């Protein structure tokens, strides 16, 4: 048996080599299987004395290869799963984009055939809109025409010939709404040479298909007849000012006045004189306010302006914000001069700022199709996605149109308008941006990376933020600091620029008011002047 021992040792060595490298080739793997299937070879392997210096390394090498193979298998499975998820979300996103494009194209169509072919193609049809209310994506019974000149578009609601008497009554009420014109203008000695009308508003509704940073001037073509006054609650000074303003607008300007149900109760408790003041009863009447109101007056701070904007889901009447709060980024008018300010605004012309809004959709993972989205939410400042009360980092996958942007790991993400650049986005490290600059601010909240800097995206993109399926905890989305919604794994938030801006009146002009607000509200770049004492350069 002595001569056979080296042979058995070699056989065992070959067998060990083949077993240590099972993935090097089909022939080698089959040879190793044949050796191990032989009972005699197995017994020899078990009985032989191992060569420690060689077998220990081979066993270690074999275990390492097993670990590598297992890791590669898991990586391949994870990659395949990620590709499947990405393909599914791409399909959902494309369907959502197609549906919204269809809705927006139906809204943006105009009667001019040449303009229709230029902007929306020859197959674009004129949408139908209800005469009672204007709701995005819900058109029925009536006809709608949009007039677009140089990027600012007006929406006119027309009546069918065979309308009912109730619809005619609604039309008559809408005919009372004041009309106005917007025009570009610039200040200076020769400023009038660049001034020209861009659009004439028959019904006083503002939409924008394209935007600009030029200063905009509003000029009334017919006198305003109806004013809506919105006030900050739980303030005695605001309540007194509101009563004085209502009395003055009625007696000196002969205007119809709308207030909130809460305010009308306060006014009637003070005096029966205010019986002429009007209000609303339910949400359906709020949705028709834009067809009745010519002007909105806010008494409060920036929060009151946000509340006023949130009441209008479509077109927004011009807003005159009076400063009665702690901050005044959007409230340039002082309440003690309200008579002169309102008299000047009602006579016109007046500079306005078109403050863009974001239109946000929440798409749930359990939705049966891409059309089962929740009701869209419009925000004037920002939408925030954060980790809520969870102790885990937020994990958010972000897409811009069809392009992957990044994965946010940190406390959360802020998608802000330029009007909201001086709010939460500024506190999180974002830049201050002029409110008429069209764009979407992409600002991380305490990111887990030093190289994660804020972005400013163009206005025409669609941003999608998705909570991945492997996220440790859900995320929470809040819209202008309210309407908080939970985003579970697989849920997504889609944001794009809304077609209905918020026009706010300016005290001087858009740029002057913005610079004044950051100087007075933030004390921007405030420092002591450098002393001139000491030697100077010759």
């Amino acid at each position: 048996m002595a001569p056979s021992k080296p042979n058995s040792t070699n056989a065992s060595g070959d067998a060990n080599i083949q077993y240590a490298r099972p993935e090097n080739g089909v022939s080698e793997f089959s040879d190793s299987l044949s050796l191990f299937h032989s009972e005699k070879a197995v017994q020899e392997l078990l009985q032989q004395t191992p060569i420690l210096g060689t077998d220990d390394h081979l066993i270690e090498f074999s275990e390492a290869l097993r670990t590598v193979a297992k890791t590669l298998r898991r990586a391949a499975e994870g990659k395949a799963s990620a590709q499947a998820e990405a393909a599914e979300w791409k399909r959902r996103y494309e369907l959502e984009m197609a549906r919204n494009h269809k809705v927006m194209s139906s809204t943006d169509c105009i009667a001019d055939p040449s303009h229709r072919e230029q902007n929306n193609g020859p197959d674009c049809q004129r949408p139908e809109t209800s005469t009672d209310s204007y709701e995005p994506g819900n058109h029925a019974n009536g006809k709608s025409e949009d007039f677009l000149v140089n990027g600012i578009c007006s929406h006119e609601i027309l009546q069918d010939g065979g309308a009912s008497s109730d619809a005619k009554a609604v039309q008559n009420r809408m005919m009372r709404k004041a009309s106005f014109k917007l025009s570009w203008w610039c200040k200076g000695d020769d400023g009038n040479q660049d001034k020209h009308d861009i659009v004439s508003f028959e019904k006083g509704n503002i939409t924008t298909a394209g935007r600009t940073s030029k200063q905009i001037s509003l000029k009334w073509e017919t006198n305003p007849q109806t004013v809506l006054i919105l006030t900050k609650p739980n303030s005695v000074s605001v309540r007194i000012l509101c009563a004085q303003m209502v009395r003055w607008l009625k007696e000196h300007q002969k205007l119809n006045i709308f207030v909130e149900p809460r305010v009308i109760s306060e006014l009637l408790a003070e005096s029966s004189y205010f019986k002429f003041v009007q209000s609303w009863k339910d949400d359906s009447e709020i949705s028709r306010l834009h067809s009745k109101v010519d002007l909105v007056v806010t008494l409060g701070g920036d929060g009151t302006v946000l509340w006023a904007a949130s009441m209008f889901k479509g077109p927004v009447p011009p807003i005159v914000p009076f400063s009665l709060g702690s901050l005044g980024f959007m409230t340039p008018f002082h309440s003690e001069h309200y008579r002169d300010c309102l008299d000047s605004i009602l006579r016109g012309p007046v500079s306005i700022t078109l403050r863009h809004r974001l239109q946000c959709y929440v798409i749930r993972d359990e939705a049966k199709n891409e059309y089962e989205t929740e009701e869209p939410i419009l925000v004037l400042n920002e939408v925030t996605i954060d980790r809520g009360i969870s102790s885990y980092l937020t994990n958010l996958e972000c897409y811009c149109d069809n392009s992957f942007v990044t994965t946010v790991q940190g406390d959360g993400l802020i998608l802000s308008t330029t009007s909201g650049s001086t709010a939460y986005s500024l506190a999180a490290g974002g830049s201050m941006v002029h409110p008429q600059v069209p764009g979407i601010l992409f600002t991380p909240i305490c990111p887990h990376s030093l190289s994660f800097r804020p972005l400013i995206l163009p206005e025409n993109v669609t941003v999608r933020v998705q909570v991945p399926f492997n996220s440790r905890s859900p995320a929470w989305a809040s819209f202008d600091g309210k309407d908080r919604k939970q985003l579970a794994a697989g849920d997504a938030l889609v944001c794009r620029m809304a077609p209905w801006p918020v026009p706010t009146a300016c005290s001087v002009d858009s740029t002057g008011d913005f610079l004044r607000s950051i100087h007075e509200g933030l004390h921007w770049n405030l420092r002591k002047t450098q002393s001139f004492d000491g030697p100077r350069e010759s």
Side-chain angles (χ1 to χ4, degrees):
M1 295 297 295
S4 64
K5 189 171 183 179
N7 294 333
S8 63
T9 303
N10 292 337
S12 64
D14 294 340
N16 287 334
I17 293 174
Q18 297 298 332
Y19 181 73
R21 295 184 298 173
E23 297 179 0
N24 289 344
V26 177
S27 60
E28 295 180 0
F29 185 71
S30 60
D31 293 341
S32 64
L33 287 179
S34 63
L35 289 173
F36 279 103
H37 287 170
S38 174
E39 184 177 356
K40 181 177 178 181
V42 172
Q43 291 179 355
E44 289 179 353
L45 288 173
L46 293 176
Q47 293 175 358
Q48 68 182 345
T49 302
I51 302 176
L52 298 178
T54 304
D55 287 359
D56 289 344
H57 290 296
L58 292 177
I59 293 174
E60 183 180 353
F61 182 61
S62 174
E63 293 297 332
L65 286 181
R66 286 197 191 95
T67 303
V68 171
K70 188 180 298 184
T71 303
L72 291 176
R73 188 183 305 109
R74 289 178 179 176
E77 292 174 354
K79 181 179 179 181
S81 177
Q83 289 176 345
E85 292 178 8
E88 175 64 16
W89 272 107
K90 181 179 180 182
R91 183 185 67 84
R92 293 188 180 189
Y93 176 72
E94 291 175 350
L95 290 175
E96 175 71 12
M97 287 293 294
R99 182 181 70 87
N100 287 295
H101 178 72
K102 182 178 180 181
V103 173
M104 295 303 299
S105 62
S106 64
T107 304
D108 294 338
C109 287
I110 62 174
D112 187 1
S114 61
H115 193 281
R116 182 187 302 121
E117 293 181 1
Q118 180 181 355
N119 290 275
N120 297 312
D123 298 331
C124 186
Q125 301 294 328
R126 182 184 301 175
E128 295 184 352
T129 307
S130 171
T131 57
D132 291 337
S133 64
Y134 182 86
E135 298 181 3
N138 185 13
H139 310 285
N141 300 332
K143 292 183 178 180
S144 171
E145 290 187 359
D146 291 338
F147 297 89
L148 177 64
V149 182
N150 291 346
I152 294 189
C153 179
S154 73
H155 181 80
E156 179 182 5
I157 301 177
L158 301 180
Q159 181 69 33
D160 279 340
S164 62
S165 59
D166 293 339
K168 291 180 179 179
V170 173
Q171 184 186 18
N172 292 333
R173 289 200 304 269
M174 294 174 60
M175 290 299 292
R176 297 176 57 189
K177 187 173 172 63
S179 60
F180 52 85
K181 292 190 298 184
L182 299 183
S183 59
W184 310 131
W185 71 283
C186 60
K187 296 185 65 175
D189 297 334
D190 299 329
N192 289 332
Q193 67 181 0
D194 296 325
K195 179 178 178 179
H196 59 281
D197 296 337
I198 55 173
V199 69
S200 176
F201 288 82
E202 298 296 333
K203 299 302 178 185
N205 296 333
I206 300 176
T207 61
T208 53
R211 298 166 178 82
T212 179
S213 58
K214 294 181 181 179
Q215 180 59 53
I216 300 174
S217 176
L218 181 148
K219 181 179 180 181
W220 299 102
E221 291 188 325
T222 58
N223 295 328
Q225 298 182 6
T226 306
V227 174
L228 169 63
I229 300 178
L230 300 175
T231 64
K232 180 176 67 173
N234 305 322
S235 175
V236 177
S237 60
V238 170
R239 187 182 307 174
I240 295 173
L241 177 61
C242 178
Q244 295 175 354
M245 184 178 293
V246 169
R247 188 185 297 270
W248 180 80
L249 289 173
K250 184 64 177 178
E251 294 178 355
H252 292 82
Q253 302 293 336
K254 310 300 180 184
L255 296 177
N256 301 318
I257 300 173
F258 277 80
V259 296
E260 298 175 84
R262 168 185 57 84
V263 177
I264 197 171
S265 300
E266 296 173 352
L267 293 175
L268 291 177
E270 179 179 341
S271 173
S272 59
Y273 167 80
F274 298 102
K275 289 183 178 180
F276 61 87
V277 179
Q278 305 177 59
S279 185
W280 56 86
K281 296 181 180 180
D282 51 31
D283 294 341
S284 62
E285 294 186 24
I286 296 179
S287 65
R288 294 193 293 268
L289 276 178
H290 76 278
S291 64
K292 304 176 183 178
V293 175
D294 300 318
L295 199 67
V296 179
V297 176
T298 63
L299 305 178
D302 291 346
T304 310
V305 179
L306 295 177
W307 167 246
S310 67
M311 293 181 60
F312 297 91
K313 307 304 181 184
V316 184
I319 297 178
V320 183
F322 284 92
S323 177
L324 287 164
S326 56
L327 290 177
F329 293 105
M330 293 187 287
T331 54
F333 296 99
H334 299 289
S335 58
E336 57 268 21
H337 306 301
Y338 75 88
R339 291 182 177 88
D340 295 336
C341 294
L342 289 177
D343 185 67
S344 175
I345 290 171
L346 292 172
R347 285 186 285 105
V350 60
S351 298
I352 67 169
T353 299
L354 291 182
R355 300 183 179 274
H356 315 306
R357 292 190 289 180
L358 290 178
Q359 192 169 17
C360 308
Y361 300 86
V362 175
I363 304 177
R364 300 294 181 183
D365 178 57
E366 63 268 15
K368 296 180 180 178
N369 54 63
E370 287 67 32
Y371 301 101
E372 291 186 0
T373 60
E374 299 183 7
E375 182 180 1
I377 302 175
L378 296 173
V379 297
L380 179 57
N381 264 0
E382 76 279 312
V383 53
T384 304
I385 307 99
D386 57 52
R387 63 182 183 175
I389 62 174
S390 174
S391 60
Y392 295 108
L393 292 178
T394 300
N395 192 11
L396 303 172
E397 295 177 351
C398 304
Y399 299 85
C400 182
D401 288 339
N402 294 324
S403 301
F404 175 75
V405 180
T406 188
T407 298
V408 176
Q409 289 182 309
D411 282 354
L413 175 68
I414 301 171
L415 297 177
S416 171
T417 65
T418 50
S419 292
S421 66
T422 52
Y424 195 2
S425 176
L426 179 63
S431 177
M432 291 186 293
V433 185
H434 192 289
Q436 282 195 186
V437 175
I440 302 175
L441 278 65
F442 186 92
T443 308
I445 306 174
C446 298
H448 202 253
S449 171
L450 293 177
S451 61
F452 197 167
R453 307 304 301 162
L455 297 176
I456 300 179
L457 302 173
E459 59 166 336
N460 59 329
V461 302
T462 298
V463 180
R464 177 167 59 88
V465 181
Q466 177 190 344
V467 180
F469 290 99
N470 61 350
S471 178
R472 291 185 175 184
S473 62
W476 292 85
S478 59
F479 308 88
D480 277 342
K482 57 184 180 181
D483 298 331
R484 198 162 173 82
K485 295 180 180 292
Q486 183 178 6
L487 301 178
D491 294 346
L493 178 70
V494 178
C495 297
R496 63 175 61 92
M497 194 74 76
W500 307 281
V502 177
T504 58
C506 301
S507 177
V508 180
D509 56 42
S510 181
T511 301
D513 288 358
F514 172 68
L515 294 177
R516 179 201 58 79
S517 68
I518 63 174
H519 280 293
E520 296 181 1
L522 298 176
H523 303 293
W524 179 62
N525 196 29
L526 182 63
R527 67 179 298 273
K528 292 183 179 180
T529 305
Q530 186 175 6
S531 175
F532 289 99
D533 296 340
R536 300 184 180 184
E537 295 180 359
S538 57

